[in-house]
Amino acid sequence: NQPSQKRQEYTPPLAIEAKQKSSQTKKPTLTLKNKKTEMTELDRGSKGIIFTPGLNYNNNGQLILRDNKVSKFIDKRYNYNSLSPELQVGELIMRINDWDKYFVIPEKIVEIKNVNLTKLKLPTNVVNWEKETTKTLLLRKGQMNLSKYLVDNQSTIEISEIKNIIIHITQAVIKLFNIGVCFLDLRGDNILMINDTPFIIDLENDFFLKSSEELIELLREFTRGDNINETKKAEFEAFFPPEINYYYSEIMIIKSVKNEHTSNMIDMLVYNDIRRTYSNETEWKEFVNKVMVHKLGTLLELGFKNCHVIKESFKKDFDALLTRVLNHDPNVRPSLEDFQNLVGKNFVDENINN
């Protein structure tokens, strides 16, 4: 009975938080009536994703804007089915102890019907939003993503803040690791800063792997088709850790032969090897541990290396850490817990100018 009691504790905070924040404002920011309301584009993602101020319905069925929320719109050229898996992942995240200190997940899908769409002046260059019902995701609002935060603050951010940000993200990754999840889309654009604290967002199924079979499905998706595109290959290799790139390269080598046995060969030589190696829970979690250390290393390299305090006072320690965590051999990389300890030990004020 204890686990179900915990889940009941964790489900309400989203609704409670919304009530508490909305009670601080005597009325909604705006109730949409007949006059067209211009929707500000707060941010833009891939696949036609646009973020606007939060749209929801009040108890009277009126469409309103909320200052403390954002809405995630998806261009109709892309499939709305991508919204539901994000909610399903959210249900899994809510089972994690203290999940709301580390993750921002969608609160619900809000359907905006045509009669209400006509009241909105939506951002341009997105196709056909005003033709039919549009589904959006309602999420908690933050300051900005981590990539922009570090660019804006790279000349002033202190080492203590850098350490706290990295450790907080690592703790979130460890929580995912503890439930066997490998989140391959960990990057600065998918980390939201709220009150100078990082929260992981955009936890979608494609890069949210819970088993070796889901890794195989990811590889199938990324190697679909007959064309071997060097640009695509380079992008893949830059995005994923070496142990995943190894399987990608093996698949592409087999596909380059182009005969009727290609599919069977890939299944026998690559996918069966993945099943043999990582089907066991212990082996899968060891794989996740070292893959996510590499992802954290990539985040460090791309996000933090240009911060003034790193370049001026911590370059040697920073480069030494990167050498370990980005090593092609997973056995050389530290574990997630060791990585967290290394950050806590090396990035402290006492080491400045040492």
Side-chain angles (χ1 to χ4, degrees):
N1 293 331
Q2 192 62 28
S4 63
Q5 289 177 357
K6 283 192 173 183
R7 279 197 291 273
Q8 289 174 0
E9 290 174 12
Y10 292 132
T11 304
L14 293 171
I16 292 171
E17 179 190 36
K19 274 189 176 181
Q20 288 173 341
K21 289 189 175 181
S22 62
S23 67
Q24 296 169 5
T25 307
K26 292 183 180 179
K27 59 181 181 179
T29 307
L30 183 64
T31 301
L32 305 179
K33 298 182 180 177
N34 293 326
K35 185 179 177 181
K36 274 212 170 190
T37 302
E38 184 165 354
M39 297 296 290
T40 305
E41 181 182 315
L42 301 175
D43 200 0
R44 180 177 289 266
S46 59
K47 296 186 178 179
I49 292 172
I50 300 289
F51 293 92
T52 73
L55 288 161
N56 198 6
Y57 290 95
N58 64 15
N59 292 333
N60 297 323
Q62 296 172 302
L63 192 63
I64 56 175
L65 288 177
R66 293 290 190 186
D67 262 343
N68 61 329
K69 306 291 178 188
V70 296
S71 286
K72 179 178 181 179
F73 281 79
I74 297 183
D75 190 316
K76 282 186 169 58
R77 289 172 293 182
Y78 299 92
N79 195 341
Y80 279 141
N81 289 337
S82 62
L83 297 181
S84 296
E86 200 169 342
L87 283 177
Q88 291 167 6
V89 168
E91 292 174 3
L92 177 62
I93 294 297
M94 283 195 292
R95 298 175 191 172
I96 296 173
N97 187 35
D98 290 333
W99 67 269
D100 50 342
K101 295 179 181 178
Y102 300 94
F103 307 97
V104 169
I105 60 175
E107 296 181 17
K108 64 178 179 177
I109 292 176
V110 178
E111 292 191 11
I112 306 172
K113 300 187 184 301
N114 179 269
V115 63
N116 286 311
L117 283 173
T118 59
K119 301 174 185 177
L120 304 176
K121 186 177 179 183
L122 294 161
T124 57
N125 70 350
V126 176
V127 176
N128 293 330
W129 272 354
E130 299 187 23
K131 301 298 182 185
E132 56 187 83
T133 298
T134 291
K135 294 181 181 179
T136 68
L137 285 177
L138 191 68
L139 302 104
R140 183 180 177 186
K141 186 178 180 180
Q143 295 162 263
M144 62 188 76
N145 66 46
L146 178 62
S147 297
K148 186 175 188 309
Y149 184 89
L150 291 174
V151 169
D152 289 355
N153 295 283
Q154 65 182 12
S155 62
T156 57
I157 192 168
E158 298 299 332
I159 196 64
S160 57
E161 186 180 359
I162 289 175
K163 181 183 73 172
N164 289 340
I165 289 172
I166 297 170
I167 287 178
H168 195 83
I169 294 169
T170 304
Q171 288 171 342
V173 169
I174 289 173
K175 286 182 177 294
L176 293 177
F177 160 75
N178 287 338
I179 59 171
V181 168
C182 184
F183 181 53
L184 292 174
D185 208 13
L186 182 74
R187 53 195 173 93
D189 289 355
N190 286 340
I191 296 171
L192 183 68
M193 299 301 292
I194 302 176
N195 298 325
D196 299 321
T197 300
F199 290 76
I200 297 178
I201 61 171
D202 216 15
L203 294 144
E204 298 181 13
N205 270 4
D206 285 351
F207 299 109
F208 193 87
L209 309 182
K210 302 181 290 298
S211 68
S212 58
E213 287 300 323
E214 292 185 1
L215 172 59
I216 290 170
E217 285 306 310
L218 178 74
L219 288 164
R220 280 201 177 106
E221 181 62 31
F222 274 84
T223 57
R224 200 179 301 281
D226 295 326
N227 294 326
I228 300 174
N229 186 316
E230 289 301 319
T231 301
K232 180 180 176 183
K233 184 174 183 292
E235 289 174 352
F236 191 98
E237 290 177 349
F239 188 76
F240 291 108
E243 44 267 68
I244 296 179
N245 285 329
Y246 166 78
Y247 290 116
Y248 177 84
S249 298
E250 290 291 295
I251 292 169
M252 300 313 286
I253 290 169
I254 296 170
K255 286 173 74 72
S256 67
V257 178
K258 292 185 179 179
N259 62 48
E260 67 272 21
H261 303 297
T262 299
S263 181
N264 288 337
M265 289 177 65
I266 291 172
D267 196 58
M268 285 190 301
L269 298 177
V270 180
Y271 297 151
N272 281 343
D273 181 47
I274 292 173
R275 292 184 181 104
R276 283 193 302 269
T277 308
Y278 301 121
S279 289
N280 178 279
E281 182 183 355
T282 301
E283 292 165 341
W284 171 252
K285 289 191 77 172
E286 179 62 24
F287 168 81
V288 172
N289 196 319
K290 295 305 181 78
V291 162
M292 291 312 301
V293 166
H294 194 280
K295 290 298 295 182
L296 286 165
T298 303
L299 181 67
L300 281 183
E301 183 178 39
L302 298 179
F304 292 87
K305 69 178 179 182
N306 290 322
C307 294
H308 81 103
V309 70
I310 295 291
K311 292 193 293 185
E312 293 174 7
S313 303
F314 288 87
K315 189 175 188 311
K316 184 178 178 181
D317 287 338
F318 187 81
D319 290 346
L321 181 61
L322 285 184
T323 299
R324 284 193 64 188
V325 300
L326 295 179
N327 198 292
H328 275 237
D329 183 356
N331 295 315
V332 174
R333 294 176 217 150
S335 68
L336 285 166
E337 288 192 3
D338 287 342
F339 171 81
Q340 178 177 313
N341 292 335
L342 285 168
V343 171
K345 177 182 177 182
N346 292 332
F347 297 162
V348 292
D349 291 333
E350 289 80 0
N351 290 352
I352 290 180
N353 296 324
N354 285 353

